[in-house]
Amino acid sequence: MKTFSVVDARTGFVLNSKIYAGKGSEELKFSMKEYGYGGTILLELVEPYFSKNHVIFADNYFTSPAAAKILLSKSTYICGTVRCNRKNLPKISQQKKGDVIAFHSEGANGGILLGSWKDRRQVKMISTGMKHEMMEVTTRSGAIKRKAMTVVEYNKLARGIDLSDMQIHQYDTNRRSYKWYKKMFMRLVDLALYNALIMMREHHQKHSFLDFRLNLVRQLLEITGGTTSAKPLPQNEIPFRLTERHFIAKCIRTGSDKSSYRRCQVCAKEKKEKRTSYCCPKCEVALCVVPCFEIYHTKRNL
């Protein structure tokens, strides 16, 4: 299952997503012939944010001069790497390390800038609304290098989708299934959980994704875990084993042989000689995991 997404660069919030259904199998608003499939997907995703002076950072699958031109006409800017085989790109000769070549087209809102910078390999960038400038940056090793401003901005702000995917896949709820819609549903659940975490971090204290999901599960269990009856009993008449939350645990054995296991409370009521190594610590009762633990904590007539 593959999706394309737009992510807020500052917070990591997933703003918009589109399911990949195969080339030619979906109706798109923009021309695939003119912008390519990647460019068409990019325009579809960012269309709700046209004319708001946003800057879109994208990799070379989505960028092209044609896509940059239409975005510029919609007061939306772009910065990203670009493939050398895109239409209407000038030919760039081989460069030596440190060489910089820039082409600039005049037009509304500043025109389109194409830059090629050689470090360990040749990096081609396309951008709108940015100047062709070189900046000094400090590498991880402490060395100072000169890089194009477009490269610096791209490296700093174009990793939102990678970070969101990394967080989601750490605790992926998806399971193996031949049904594509089941996978898609679980993917949407993961996206909703991730966005909820981002919103919580913005307005409350910060939590890890794992702690957030565990707290959410506990709250859902508290909401849906109560038992119902036609005539609810007064609180003082409800047995303790039917209230609160009970969890299974290992019993402490008094020896190494089978006789050191305790008798299951439910099995003993039915006059069965069955011993178990599990118990309910709150009730201080030995119980088989299945089905006695559930029976003991749900049935009133025990």
Side-chain angles (χ1 to χ4, degrees), residues 28 30-41 61 64 86:
L28 300 171
F30 299 90
S31 171
M32 193 186 303
K33 184 177 180 180
E34 185 174 357
Y35 305 111
Y37 183 72
T40 306
I41 292 296
Y61 182 76
S64 68
R86 296 299 190 195

Side-chain angles (χ1 to χ4, degrees), residues 90-268:
K91 291 184 178 180
I92 300 174
S93 58
Q94 290 294 324
Q95 299 170 258
K96 295 180 180 179
K97 188 172 183 178
D99 287 351
V100 180
I101 300 175
F103 300 89
H104 190 274
S105 68
E106 298 295 334
N109 300 327
I112 300 173
L113 173 68
L114 174 69
S116 179
W117 173 69
K118 180 70 177 292
D119 187 25
R120 284 181 295 180
R121 60 187 180 87
Q122 202 170 21
V123 180
K124 299 179 179 65
M125 303 290 297
I126 189 169
S127 63
T128 53
M130 289 189 178
K131 296 180 180 179
H132 172 58
E133 294 181 358
M134 298 298 291
M135 300 174 59
E136 288 188 349
V137 295
T138 304
T139 63
R140 292 179 182 178
S141 61
I144 297 176
K145 281 189 175 183
R146 285 174 56 82
K147 291 186 178 182
M149 184 176 71
T150 52
V151 175
V152 175
E153 291 296 310
Y154 178 80
N155 289 337
K156 183 170 65 175
L157 299 171
R159 296 291 177 260
I161 188 66
D162 296 332
L163 293 175
S164 64
D165 282 344
M166 180 184 68
Q167 291 258 14
I168 290 171
H169 285 300
Q170 278 184 335
Y171 310 106
D172 194 358
T173 57
N174 204 355
R175 296 295 179 266
R176 296 180 69 178
S177 173
Y178 291 106
K179 306 295 184 181
W180 68 268
Y181 52 84
K182 291 183 180 180
K183 293 183 178 181
M184 193 67 253
F185 174 77
M186 298 314 299
R187 171 68 178 177
L188 294 176
V189 170
D190 287 334
L191 283 175
L193 288 173
Y194 178 74
N195 279 349
L197 172 68
I198 298 300
M199 294 176 67
M200 185 174 183
R201 285 176 175 174
E202 285 292 301
H203 300 287
H204 302 282
Q205 61 182 351
K206 292 186 177 181
H207 290 275
S208 68
F209 199 13
L210 178 60
D211 289 339
F212 174 77
R213 293 174 76 111
L214 290 175
N215 287 334
L216 178 62
V217 170
R218 292 190 186 101
Q219 292 173 22
L220 290 174
L221 288 174
E222 289 175 3
I223 294 171
T224 61
T227 58
T228 59
S229 61
K231 294 181 179 179
L233 293 173
Q235 189 66 29
N236 57 355
E237 295 183 19
I238 300 176
F240 173 74
R241 60 188 173 81
L242 301 180
T243 62
E244 300 185 6
R245 305 295 300 172
H246 298 263
F247 299 94
I248 199 79
K250 277 274 191 180
C251 294
I252 299 175
R253 296 177 62 182
T254 57
S256 58
D257 58 347
K258 289 186 178 180
S259 63
S260 63
Y261 289 119
R262 296 169 61 186
R263 287 187 68 187
C264 171
Q265 182 84 359
V266 176
C267 293

